[in-house]
Amino acid sequence: MAAEGLLSLAVFTMASTMTPGGATTMATASGAHFGYRQTLPLMAGIAIGLGSMTAGAAAGLGAIIMNAPRFQMAMKVIGTAYLLWLAWRISRNGPPRQANVVRPARFLSGVWLTWHNPKGWAIALGAAASFADIASNPRILAAVLGLSFGISAILSLSLWCLAGLVLRRFLRTDRQWHLLNAGLGILLALSIAPMWL
C-alpha cells in the first residue's frame, strides 16, 4: 500500500465523518443531555456501523445494493422515517432534567441509524470505488476501509459530542435548551434532504 494512498484515505475519511449530518447531530444532542461517557455506546455503534458498511461495500455488498432499486428505495424510506422520528424527539426535549428521553441512545441504535442512512452508503460506495487500488485484494481493502472509517468516525463523533458538552455550559434557561433542541431537530431533519436529491 502506497503511503500517499493511505494519506488520501485518511483525509477523505476525516472529511466524510466530520461534516454535519444525522450521526453528528445525534452525538451533539446526546453529549449535551447525557455527557460523553453515556454517549459512548451510541458513538461506538455509529463507528462500527460505518466501518462495517464501508468494509461491506469494498467486499462487494455495495454492488448488490446498487443493483436492487427496490431495496434502495426501502432503505431510503425507512431511514427517512427513522431520522424524522429522531428529529421530532430531539426537538421536543427541554433541559436535561426535563428531557423526554430518559436515557441516551444505545449501541444498536447507532448501528441501525448508520446502516439505514443512504448518505452513509453513498460515502461507503464512493470510498470503495475511489480507493480500490490501495489494496491488493478486496479483503484487504475491506479491512483498511473498515478500520479507517471506524476510527475516523469515533474521533469526529467525539468532537461533536464534546461540542454538545460545551453548549451545555452556556445554556442557563429552559428557553435556551428548547431553542437548542429545536435547532438540533431541524438540522437532523434537514440532513435527510441530500438522500432524496
Side-chain angles (χ1 to χ4, degrees), residues 21 25 28-29 44 50 71 88 101 118 121 133 141 146 159 170-171 185-186:
T25 303
T28 305
L50 186 58
F71 183 67
W88 179 76
V101 180
W121 277 107
D133 60 346
L141 180 63
L159 291 175
F170 292 103
L171 302 176
I186 290 167

Side-chain angles (χ1 to χ4, degrees), residues 79-166:
T80 297
Y82 182 64
L83 288 172
L84 286 173
W85 177 78
L86 286 174
W88 179 76
R89 292 279 310 259
I90 289 171
S91 68
R92 292 179 44 85
N93 282 341
R97 67 188 178 280
Q98 297 174 353
N100 295 335
V101 180
V102 293
R103 63 176 202 178
R106 300 287 184 206
F107 178 83
L108 289 178
S109 296
V111 173
W112 201 92
L113 169 73
T114 307
W115 271 76
H116 288 84
N117 185 346
K119 177 187 168 192
W121 277 107
I123 291 169
L125 294 169
S130 300
F131 296 100
D133 60 346
I134 67 169
S136 58
N137 69 55
R139 284 187 307 240
I140 294 173
L141 180 63
V144 170
L145 288 182
L147 282 171
S148 298
F149 273 91
I151 291 168
S152 291
I154 200 71
L155 292 174
S156 65
L157 290 169
S158 291
L159 291 175
W160 283 98
C161 180
L162 293 172
L165 285 168
V166 169

Side-chain angles (χ1 to χ4, degrees), residues 11-71:
V11 170
F12 181 82
T13 58
M14 282 309 293
S16 299
T17 57
M18 282 298 292
T19 55
T24 57
T25 303
M26 289 293 297
T28 305
S30 185
H33 282 276
F34 303 107
Y36 185 83
R37 195 149 127 250
Q38 290 192 57
T39 304
L40 269 174
L42 170 67
M43 293 188 301
I46 293 168
I48 288 174
L50 186 58
S52 61
M53 186 187 312
T54 52
L61 181 59
I64 295 169
I65 291 171
M66 293 304 292
N67 290 320
R70 286 184 181 171
F71 183 67

